[in-house]
Amino acid sequence: MRSVRFKVSAIFVSIVSVMIILLWLFQIVFLDDFYKVIKTNSVRSCASSIASNIDNKELNTLVYEIAQRNFVNVRVVKHTKNGFESVSISESTRSLEYCLADELLDKYYNDALNNDGTNLINIDNQDSFKFGNTDNINSEKTSEDLQNAFIGQTPSDSIPKAKGIVFCRVEKFNNEEYLILITSVISPVNSTIQTLSVQLLIITLIFLIFGTFIAFLTSQTISLPIENINDKAKMLAKGNFKVRFTEKGFREIEELSSTLNFAAEELGKADSLQNELIANVSHDLRTPLTMISGYAEMMRDIPGENTTENIQVIVDEANRLSRLVTDLLDISKMQASVSELEYEQFNITKELTEIVQSYASLSKQRGITVNLEYDQEVLADADKTKIKQVIYNLINNAVNYIGEDKTVLVKQTTKEKTVRIEIIDHGIGISKEDIANIWNRYYRVDKNHRTAIVGTGLGLSIVKSVLELHKTEYGVESELGKGSNFYFEIERVHNDHTESGEGTVEE
Ligand code: ADP
């Protein structure tokens, strides 16, 4: 797998190469063709301009202007019975002027007439311009002639000879025929090509240097934060939850950083909660175990201590142990998602009544009352065992954190599609900061007085898992010092045939 750095650099280098290749192609390779097309078009428009002014008195001036401006040679002749009569001539360049010679006019005229009135002749090599009877042309000496005449060293002949065109147009006006001839060099000036080549070479070098530099910088900016994040993630994997991801630069990296920060924080929290749990569990296990073994030893060793009260202490402590172990098992089952819901239809009101009645003994022992209030009997569709566990957990909490009124109210309200169950106490309540956390595993608001109140810190976490499996609404409204209202809703069966009517149950 290639690295980001390599890929980014490769893309950059490719872009730069394509740009350079395009520049070379257009500036050097296709320059001739472009130049030829542009020049040919310009020559044609010059011819049109002359043609439309053929009767103008100032034709000479126009021809002169056109020749000068466009660097072409122009000749206009009139076709008469006796041959050709010169009208206007203007030469701005000496090259190709021999193509305007009198001897050629007849051929030009005939060829143009045979070809819709215009004709374009390409001259590839001026020096070997053989066209019709050109032997008698009083042309300029060709460069070869000059070279031959010159005694001494001449520049090498490697530079290609200029190419040209002769454009002929026959224009009829007032029953008279005019022949317009324009010659133009159609290969770019050699010095221009040389200049362009040198410039291109410099541009290519600059591009390559800058391109490499920018490719390096870009890949560095992209890959460096990724590499850093990777290093830190490795530390995180090794268990260093304090590591923080500060990498920035672009949105994706920032998002990745903040996700990993969140993960690190959560892992850190889980880790410290786990440590706390071990401390809690070992403490919670040790206390009842010490009590059990203490009481058992006492009953063994001291005659007369084998009383029902002492045995009750052992039974209570053993129950507390088993509750703790059950909670731990439940939570681990939920976590492993092995527990699936077993939906059934059941009379939730009857279940609530039974649960509330099971707290009757509390009334005798601690003077605590658990009341039930319901609007009508309803059938619910849910996992009965798990929902009962939720209700028990919530009532146990309400009892554990009960207020001075020593009353817990269990309220059932029927809604359109659901039935809402509330467990209300007027106890210590929960602060806003703690409300968000109480549903977390092992979280206990008052960590210092654990032994004072029976609990494992797992009850609400089990409640949350069950209700989330049911995909239902749940929550708590609580105010510090005033009490709490834990509520949840479960789906209700609509066409239930249960008796209607309000009721209250007091255990
Ligand atoms: P615990 O076994 O400690 O009760 P839970 O998960 O059931 O654990 O509850 C978590 C924490 O939420 C408790 O330690 C307690 O601080 C707070 N809490 C739960 N129910 C109530 C309540 N009815 N009133 C006040 N605080 C409560």
Side-chain angles (χ1 to χ4, degrees):
M1 202 66 184
R2 302 259 189 233
S3 67
V4 175
R5 201 181 289 231
F6 178 84
K7 280 201 175 161
V8 172
S9 308
I11 291 172
F12 233 87
V13 169
S14 324
I15 293 174
V16 167
S17 316
V18 168
M19 279 172 73
I20 291 173
I21 290 170
L22 279 179
L23 266 177
W24 277 90
L25 277 179
F26 278 89
Q27 297 277 284
I28 307 292
V29 183
F30 297 133
L31 188 68
D32 273 10
D33 296 325
F34 279 114
Y35 196 81
K36 182 178 172 182
V37 171
I38 290 167
K39 266 287 173 184
T40 312
N41 285 338
S42 133
V43 164
R44 279 179 194 276
S45 80
C46 291
S48 312
S49 159
I50 294 168
S52 55
N53 288 292
I54 203 81
D55 60 331
N56 200 314
K57 278 180 206 149
E58 299 299 325
L59 185 67
N60 270 336
T61 323
L62 179 72
V63 166
Y64 177 79
E65 279 291 317
I66 285 177
Q68 292 301 313
R69 283 213 190 137
N70 299 288
F71 219 61
V72 292
N73 295 331
V74 184
R75 184 169 185 196
V76 184
V77 289
K78 195 196 277 182
H79 182 240
T80 61
K81 280 172 200 161
N82 310 327
F84 293 97
E85 206 174 276
S86 216
V87 176
S88 175
I89 186 158
S90 181
E91 293 173 353
S92 68
T93 162
R94 309 216 78 189
S95 60
L96 297 170
E97 60 185 352
Y98 53 88
C99 298
L100 299 175
D102 288 345
E103 291 81 350
L104 298 166
L105 294 178
D106 214 31
K107 172 122 178 96
Y108 285 148
Y109 173 76
N110 289 326
D111 283 354
L113 273 189
N114 293 337
N115 192 34
D116 294 341
T118 59
N119 195 22
L120 182 76
I121 301 150
N122 284 306
I123 301 157
D124 271 357
N125 186 347
Q126 291 179 50
D127 293 342
S128 56
F129 181 69
K130 298 271 182 289
F131 187 72
N133 184 12
T134 54
D135 296 345
N136 302 326
I137 294 175
N138 186 15
S139 66
E140 279 295 319
K141 283 184 177 166
T142 64
S143 59
E144 260 170 47
D145 294 336
L146 286 172
Q147 242 171 320
N148 294 339
F150 181 79
I151 300 164
Q153 227 177 3
T154 56
S156 76
D157 206 15
S158 61
I159 301 161
K161 297 207 166 87
K163 293 172 185 175
I165 47 167
V166 182
F167 182 69
C168 325
R169 176 168 170 162
V170 177
E171 185 67 23
K172 287 185 179 141
F173 183 78
N174 279 350
N175 290 329
E176 285 173 326
E177 278 182 333
Y178 294 88
L179 176 65
I180 303 164
L181 298 174
I182 303 179
T183 69
S184 171
V185 173
I186 53 151
S187 41
V189 185
N190 281 331
S191 57
T192 312
I193 295 185
Q194 276 173 335
T195 316
L196 280 176
S197 308
V198 175
Q199 279 190 346
L200 264 183
L201 205 70
I202 296 169
I203 291 175
T204 309
L205 278 177
I206 294 175
F207 257 49
L208 281 178
I209 295 166
F210 263 98
T212 321
F213 184 66
I214 289 171
F216 176 76
L217 265 189
T218 319
S219 59
Q220 193 80 348
T221 344
I222 296 173
S223 69
L224 205 67
I226 298 179
E227 281 165 17
N228 286 348
I229 286 184
N230 189 28
D231 289 344
K232 287 187 187 170
K234 279 182 191 156
M235 282 157 75
L236 183 66
K238 279 184 191 149
N240 180 356
F241 303 123
K242 294 219 168 65
V243 68
R244 283 294 170 269
F245 299 82
T246 48
E247 282 65 28
K248 291 194 167 73
F250 35 99
R251 191 165 48 87
E252 288 82 353
I253 289 290
E254 260 175 52
E255 277 173 9
L256 181 63
S257 287
S258 65
T259 311
L260 285 170
N261 276 337
F262 180 68
E265 272 167 36
E266 289 299 303
L267 283 171
K269 263 192 225 162
D271 190 52
S272 60
L273 283 173
Q274 222 139 339
N275 291 338
E276 212 169 281
L277 168 82
I278 294 170
N280 281 355
V281 168
S282 40
H283 186 276
D284 286 347
L285 285 175
R286 210 177 44 217
T287 319
L289 281 175
T290 320
M291 294 274 273
I292 291 169
S293 67
Y295 271 76
E297 277 172 23
M298 187 171 73
M299 282 155 66
R300 183 195 63 197
D301 300 340
I302 307 171
E305 281 297 326
N306 201 346
T307 61
T308 325
E309 288 79 27
N310 285 347
I311 292 175
Q312 189 57 45
V313 173
I314 294 180
V315 171
D316 287 348
E317 291 303 320
N319 283 344
R320 192 169 146 187
L321 267 181
S322 97
R323 200 165 50 234
L324 182 68
V325 172
T326 316
D327 272 5
L328 283 171
L329 274 178
D330 280 346
I331 200 84
S332 61
K333 257 199 264 168
M334 298 269 184
Q335 199 179 8
S337 294
V338 283
S339 73
E340 275 174 19
L341 295 181
E342 282 171 26
Y343 277 91
E344 64 179 297
Q345 297 187 357
F346 63 97
N347 186 326
I348 179 77
T349 322
K350 271 199 181 129
E351 295 301 330
L352 284 173
T353 314
E354 276 170 26
I355 294 171
V356 165
Q357 273 163 359
S358 74
Y359 282 89
S361 62
L362 270 182
S363 161
K364 284 175 208 138
Q365 283 172 14
R366 293 166 59 188
I368 290 173
T369 328
V370 182
N371 293 331
L372 171 67
E373 234 179 70
Y374 63 92
D375 46 2
Q376 65 179 93
E377 275 194 38
V378 270
L379 282 184
D381 187 18
D383 187 316
K384 186 169 141 189
T385 325
K386 293 209 169 66
I387 290 296
K388 275 173 79 177
Q389 190 181 6
V390 166
I391 299 167
Y392 270 116
N393 282 1
L394 292 180
I395 298 182
N396 284 345
N397 276 353
V399 168
N400 284 340
Y401 303 98
I402 203 156
E404 280 171 6
D405 65 348
K406 297 215 167 179
T407 316
V408 173
L409 174 63
V410 180
K411 201 167 155 188
Q412 177 217 289
T413 356
T414 317
K415 288 185 160 187
E416 168 76 8
K417 288 184 175 162
T418 56
V419 49
R420 184 183 173 97
I421 292 150
E422 291 164 85
I423 287 94
I424 305 161
D425 69 69
H426 303 102
I428 55 168
I430 308 158
S431 70
K432 281 209 175 81
E433 303 86 68
D434 286 321
I435 280 191
N437 292 319
I438 51 167
W439 305 95
N440 289 341
R441 258 173 297 153
Y442 324 130
Y443 189 87
R444 309 186 69 199
V445 174
D446 194 353
K447 296 183 178 81
N448 301 323
H449 300 96
R450 261 180 292 112
T451 43
I453 289 167
V454 184
T456 54
L458 297 174
L460 286 183
S461 155
I462 296 172
V463 169
K464 177 184 169 183
S465 309
V466 170
L467 295 175
E468 274 180 2
L469 277 177
H470 277 87
K471 295 192 179 62
T472 185
E473 205 186 308
Y474 69 94
V476 60
E477 286 155 11
S478 186
E479 210 176 310
L480 216 52
K482 290 203 173 160
S484 318
N485 178 349
F486 281 85
Y487 62 86
F488 68 92
E489 287 180 14
I490 42 173
E491 212 163 299
R492 114 174 224 231
V493 184
H494 240 293
N495 53 350
D496 52 330
H497 302 295
T498 47
E499 309 157 28
S500 63
E502 292 180 19
T504 48
V505 173
E506 284 188 27
E507 29 54 77

